[in-house]
Amino acid sequence: MRTFLVIIDETEEASAALRYATRRAAAVGGAVHLLALVPQQNFSAFGAVQATIEAEARDRAEMLAHGVAGNLFATSGIMPTISVKIGPGQKIVSEFLAEHREVAALVLGAAKGSNPGPLVTHFSSAAGSLPCPLYIIPHDYDEAANELLA
């Protein structure tokens, strides 16, 4: 089964990437995998404080991913798989792609303006060495409007 990997957060560009991946998965009988990234906290002399901050961030990311998954299922009938990982985004996504050969495409949303975001910048420069195609979706992508043009 073709799986579309979407990096999910609360941004408009992540929503655009999710809409695109969902439509593609539905069209090919594929699946969607949501990956929520939790930034690792800088080292703190108070380890318990650092652990608490990371746990709270992970809980927020899980709640976001589960909310998005519920909405996705309600609107498309596709129940996505969810992963929440703590650490540097580029490293986590690279490791995830290496471990999950079922991923048919990495779908990233590009932010508005001249800086599309750290993941888009990193993975677009390494697109030729990725184990799957990279789809970069603009933050304001409207699939319905683009279907009318086709």
Side-chain angles (χ1 to χ4, degrees):
M1 179 181 292
R2 295 181 65 188
T3 300
F4 295 84
L5 177 63
V6 180
I7 311 307
I8 194 72
D9 58 23
E10 297 171 329
T11 61
E12 188 177 330
E13 56 267 21
S15 296
L18 181 61
R19 286 191 309 272
Y20 180 87
T22 302
R23 297 283 300 259
R24 291 296 156 259
V28 300
V32 175
H33 192 120
L34 305 176
L35 177 58
L37 302 174
V38 178
Q40 194 165 19
Q41 298 299 312
N42 293 330
F43 176 75
S44 170
F46 303 100
V49 172
Q50 179 178 346
T52 300
I53 292 170
E54 284 181 355
E56 288 174 355
R58 182 179 178 87
D59 289 345
R60 279 192 308 276
E62 284 181 358
M63 286 191 318
L64 169 69
H66 285 284
V68 168
N71 289 339
L72 180 65
F73 182 70
T75 59
S76 70
I78 295 174
M79 178 52 83
T81 306
I82 299 171
S83 296
V84 178
K85 304 281 186 182
I86 298 174
Q90 298 164 355
K91 180 181 178 198
I92 295 294
V93 173
S94 295
E95 289 173 354
F96 190 92
L97 291 173
E99 294 169 7
H100 294 84
R101 304 308 279 175
E102 75 277 7
V103 173
L106 172 59
V107 184
L108 298 176
K112 184 178 184 178
S114 61
N115 182 6
L119 292 178
V120 171
T121 301
H122 174 77
F123 287 107
S124 63
S125 67
S129 63
L130 291 175
C132 63
L134 170 65
Y135 298 164
I136 300 173
I137 311 304
H139 74 283
D140 60 351
Y141 182 76
D142 181 1
E143 180 120 8
N146 285 310
E147 278 186 12
L148 293 175
L149 295 174

